Amino acid sequence: MYKHILIPTDGSALSLRAAREAGKLAGAGKAKVTALYVVAPYMPPVMGDGYIPPTDGGMARRYRESAAKVAAKALDKLATAAGAKMRCEKVVVTNDQPWAGIIKAARDRKCDVIVMASRGRGGLAGLFLGSETTKVLSHSKTPVLVCR
C-alpha cells in the first residue's frame, strides 16, 4: 500500500473528484496525504520593446497575497473532499510550469503516488492544448493515478 499520497489541485470540480478517490485510497492504507497547489511566479508587466516599468513592489505583493488566498481556498476544498478523518498537509509551491512543480513536490516530499484528475481531452484539443496530467505522466518517476 501507499504511505504518502500527493494530490495536486487547480481548484476544479474534477480535482475534487480525484481527491475523493485519493481519500479512499489513503484511508484503506492509512497513508499520509499532501494537497498541493502550484502558483505561477509573479511576472511584471512589460511595456513596448521590453521596457519593464519600475514598481514599488506593491503589484508583486498584491499578486502574492491574491495567489495565496486562491491557493488556500482550493486546498481547503480539496482537504475536505479527501476526507476529514485523515491529516492533510497543505502545500503551495511556485513554479511557472505546474507539471514540474507537481513532480518536484512529489520527489521532495518522498510521495509514493500522485493522484490527479484528467479533463480527458482527445483529438486535436489534446494535441494542441496538452494537459498538466499528460506532462506529469510523461516526466514523473513517481507512479500517477489518473481519475476521470
Side-chain angles (χ1 to χ4, degrees):
M1 276 278 127
Y2 299 111
K3 294 184 181 356
H4 192 173
I5 300 171
L6 180 70
I7 315 169
T9 185
D10 59 0
S12 68
L14 282 172
S15 67
L16 296 180
R17 205 158 66 201
R20 284 190 285 278
E21 292 301 317
K24 292 175 193 174
L25 185 62
K30 307 224 186 301
K32 177 181 175 183
V33 173
T34 299
L36 176 72
Y37 190 91
V38 181
V39 174
Y42 172 73
M43 300 297 275
V46 177
M47 308 299 239
D49 293 331
Y51 171 73
I52 300 174
T55 64
D56 62 357
M59 287 177 22
R61 180 183 44 77
R62 286 191 302 273
Y63 173 80
R64 284 190 299 274
E65 288 170 356
S66 176
K69 285 179 187 175
V70 170
K73 185 176 177 180
L75 290 170
D76 287 344
K77 282 178 161 180
L78 187 125
T80 301
K85 295 178 185 174
M86 67 195 74
R87 192 179 128 267
C88 181
E89 180 185 9
K90 298 173 191 168
V91 176
V92 178
V93 297
T94 302
N95 198 307
D96 58 343
Q97 297 175 318
W99 65 268
I102 292 166
I103 292 171
K104 184 174 182 334
R107 185 177 55 243
D108 292 350
R109 287 173 172 70
K110 296 176 177 48
C111 297
D112 318 278
V113 66
I114 302 168
V115 178
M116 59 191 305
S118 173
R119 282 187 171 45
R121 283 190 191 108
L124 289 177
L127 179 65
F128 289 117
L129 298 175
S131 80
E132 299 307 316
T133 303
T134 301
K135 292 171 189 167
V136 170
L137 284 167
S138 298
H139 295 91
S140 179
K141 291 184 168 94
T142 304
V144 181
L145 173 63
V146 179
C147 301
R148 282 191 164 184

